[in-house]
């Protein structure tokens, strides 16, 4: 026993001497002879205890690591909270008793050798494992499993980095206290990110008022009108009661908009733009909550509302915010006696009326160009999905938009009619069905309003036999099942060249049947609920009609009622093949997850059949032959077209339809023309030349 103890203490002594020599001379200068000399023994004795130099270095490194682990375990014993535990671990690495030049040199020497000497690399691996395991245990109560290791590894890298820097640059330069603080801030920001990700259902529900009122003059405005409810279509539960705006609220909204618009239009475009861009930032900051509200109100998967709905709305605010300062008239040279110029002036008070499929995006697509031009807008969201437009009003106010410039009237068709007829409103922009578009245009005619109409469609997607089939199937899926098929521009008539029909259908079926139908708030869900049970009945009615009309049901074709989905409006993605052009499922807008596939042989034939519809919103074609691509697109009667993709709607490009699908365009610079009127000014420079 006594011999063992003596051996242990001799070993420890030799290791300490080794560390001292390493600190002084580095790895290359550290020899057995030098260590033996420092320890006052013969090199042979070192060989007796440790074998060769590498083994001695390995033992010395192990000693350091053991010491570190021992100190950390002790420090953790008196650290009650996760924050204290992180501080204890980081402290053991960086506190002043450790953070010395000699210790740094030793670690650097070991790291340099670890690459070449397996025994040292093994000790290094064990050290890293212990560090990460200590950090991971400390972080576990506050981070999700998938966050823990990346965060622990980043902290480890910061510690290693500061050691390396100190060893190379000198310990005096390193501010270890600042590093400890930075690591604390980093962990805090990771926790905040996680909390933002994990919005709990009660927190979201708290963000929905019991009763939604209209928003007029910068605040909620009570109404005496009828109350209705907005439901979560995935569960049937009531989300909120909503007060319909009546003529009284309309008057208040017009009066406030008139006041607000004067202040707003008097600002420079640069100032208006800055405020709109600030609103875009606020939308993005609040995107998680807004996406949750949108999902609850529409039934669309959270994966979609988070990725697209809120951000595309924010894009519109940012884009028009950037253009606001560029809205100019023109100057005309009229010879030596005169010149002329035009002013692009705001229209005044405008109205936006929204559909329910992209509630916040539609509110942004309409209000952003309207406001950029110096107008006020009174917006009416769909009665089915009023929640997020009211939030947008709050965000505009927070960003600095004067009260009255963006008012929201809650309500249904009657409220919409009030807006479309009110003489003080100079323009109405509707997103809705063709029937509503006709009514709104008739109402607007009474006071000769400008009108923009974004209406329905039954768009063709044409796939030629040279197309990349994988991409074409991807596009057909996006063109029919994204947002539960509730997209106006969907390519619901899919024309597939006869030569590739079989191949296309096989790939399509396999991919449709893999789509995950589920609760909209589940991030893995790809197909959520339709917007309402009434709408689901309409869609199921069309599916039954398709079967009766003789189309072949390839897949889907039914309501989904598994488990908790039974309470919601879930419909399986449905594909009909062998469709003919006279079938109603090929002619009428279903606005649900129903794709109708047909075949064609000839380019002229398919163009004629694609154009054989009252609609003209969109069209897509797939071909590798770009000459054919441009030729066919030029012959298609559609306002928005895609070659080798579908349903991509960047804010920079005009969006809208021809024929019965609408009038005017949203997005791009073109929308600015729809929210301004031109004043022509003739300026004489000489005398008036009069014959009288
Ligand atoms: P909808 O026509 O029933 O209603 C649209 C909006 O108009 C709602 O806010 C509604 O309250 C209001 N409204 C209804 N009757 C009105 C009237 N007489 N006067 C004034 N306002 C009135 O449409 P929806 O069911 O909400 O949406 C689905 C339709 O919208 C589909 O046809 C779809 O294609 C179309 N849509 C078009 C686009 C596009 O950009 N082209 C985008 C989304 C949806």
């Amino acid at each position: 026993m006594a011999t063992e103890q003596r051996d242990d203490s001799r070993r420890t002594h030799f290791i300490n001497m080794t560390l001292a020599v390493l600190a002084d001379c580095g790895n290359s200068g550290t020899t057995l002879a030098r260590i033996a000399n420092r320890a006052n023994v013969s090199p042979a004795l070192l060989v007796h205890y440790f074998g060769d130099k590498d083994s001695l270095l390995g033992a010395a490194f192990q000693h350091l690591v053991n010491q570190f682990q021992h100190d950390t375990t002790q420090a953790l014993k008196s650290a009650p909270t996760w924050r204290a535990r992180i501080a204890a671990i980081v402290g053991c690495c960086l506190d002043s008793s450790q953070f010395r030049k000699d210790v740094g040199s030793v670690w650097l020497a070991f790291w340099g050798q670890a690459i070449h000497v397996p025994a040292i690399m093994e000790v290094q691996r064990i050290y890293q494992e212990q560090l990460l395991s200590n950090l991971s245990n400390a972080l576990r109560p506050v981070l999700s499993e998938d966050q823990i290791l990346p965060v622990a590894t980043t902290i480890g890298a910061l510690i290693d980095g500061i050691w390396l820097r100190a060893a190379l640059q000198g310990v005096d330069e390193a501010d270890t206290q600042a590093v400890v603080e930075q690591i604390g801030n980093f962990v805090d920001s990771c926790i905040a990110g996680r909390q933002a990700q994990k919005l709990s259902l009660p927190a979201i529900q708290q963000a929905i008022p019991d009763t939604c009122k209209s928003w007029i003059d910068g605040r909620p405005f009570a109404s005496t009108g009828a109350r209705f409810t907005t439901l979560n279509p995935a569960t049937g539960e009531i989300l909120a009661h909503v007060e319909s705006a009546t003529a009284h609220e309309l008057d208040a909204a017009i009066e406030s908009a008139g006041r607000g618009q004067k202040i707003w239009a008097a600002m420079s475009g640069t100032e208006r733009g800055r405020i709109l861009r600030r609103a875009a930032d606020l939308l993005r900051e609040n995107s998680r909550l807004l996406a949750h509200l949108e999902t609850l109100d529409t039934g669309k998967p959270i994966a979609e509302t988070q990725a697209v709905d809120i951000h595309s709305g924010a894009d519109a605010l940012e884009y028009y915010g950037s253009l606001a300062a560029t809205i100019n008239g023109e100057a005309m040279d009229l010879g030596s006696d005169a010149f002329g110029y035009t002013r692009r002036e705001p229209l005044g008070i405008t109205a936006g009326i929204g559909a329910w499929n992209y509630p916040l995006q539609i509110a942004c697509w309409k209000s952003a160009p309207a406001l950029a031009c110096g107008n006020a807008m009174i917006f009416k969201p769909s009665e089915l999905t009023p929640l997020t437009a009211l939030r947008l009003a709050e965000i505009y106010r927070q960003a600095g938009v004067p009260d009255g410039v963006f008012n929201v009237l809650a309500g249904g068709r009657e409220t919409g009619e009030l807006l479309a007829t009110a003489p003080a409103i100079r323009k109405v922009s509707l997103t809705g069905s063709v029937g509503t578009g006709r009514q709104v245009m008739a109402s607007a005619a009474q006071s000769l309003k400008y009108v923009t109409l974004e209406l329905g469609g039954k768009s063709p997607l044409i796939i030629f036999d040279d197309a990349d089939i994988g991409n074409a199937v991807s596009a057909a899926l996006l063109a029919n099942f994204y947002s539960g098929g509730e997209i106006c521009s969907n390519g619901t008539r899919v024309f597939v060249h006869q030569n590739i029909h079989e191949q296309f259908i096989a790939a399509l079926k396999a991919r449709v049947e893999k789509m995950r139908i589920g609760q909209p708030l589940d991030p893995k869900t790809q197909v959520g609920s339709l917007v309402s049970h009434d709408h689901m009945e309409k869609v199921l009615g069309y599916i039954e009609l398709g079967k009766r009309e003789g189309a072949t049901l390839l897949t889907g074709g039914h309501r989904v009622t598994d488990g908790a989905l039974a309470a919601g409006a879930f419909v399986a993605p449905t594909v009909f093949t062998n469709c003919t052009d006279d079938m109603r499922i090929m002619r009428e807008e279903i606005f649900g997850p129903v794709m109708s596939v047909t075949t064609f042989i000839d380019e002229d034939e398919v163009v004629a059949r694609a154009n054989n519809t009252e609609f003209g919103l969109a069209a897509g074609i797939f071909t590798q032959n770009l000459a054919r691509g441009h030729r066919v697109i030029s012959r298609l009667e559609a306002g928005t077209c895609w070659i080798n993709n579908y349903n991509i709607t960047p804010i920079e490009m005009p969006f809208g339809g021809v024929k019965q699908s609408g009038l005017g365009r949203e997005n791009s610079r073109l929308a600015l023309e729809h929210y301004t009127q031109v004043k022509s000014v003739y300026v004489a420079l000489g005398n008036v030349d009069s014959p009288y």
Side-chain angles (χ1 to χ4, degrees), residues 297-317:
D297 222 4
T298 60
K300 298 201 294 181
I302 188 77
E304 289 186 19
T305 53
Q306 264 175 12
V308 174
D309 294 50
I310 315 305
H311 290 282
S312 61
D315 283 353
L317 268 54

Side-chain angles (χ1 to χ4, degrees), residues 9 43 221 261 331 400 493:
S9 78
F221 196 97
Q261 193 264 333
R493 290 183 295 147

Side-chain angles (χ1 to χ4, degrees), residues 354 356-357 380 383 413 431-433 436 439 454-456 488 589:
W356 44 257
N357 61 337
K380 189 198 85 65
E383 52 275 41
R413 186 175 55 78
T431 297
S433 60
T436 304
Q439 289 169 15
E454 291 290 355
L455 307 178
C488 50
E589 185 183 41

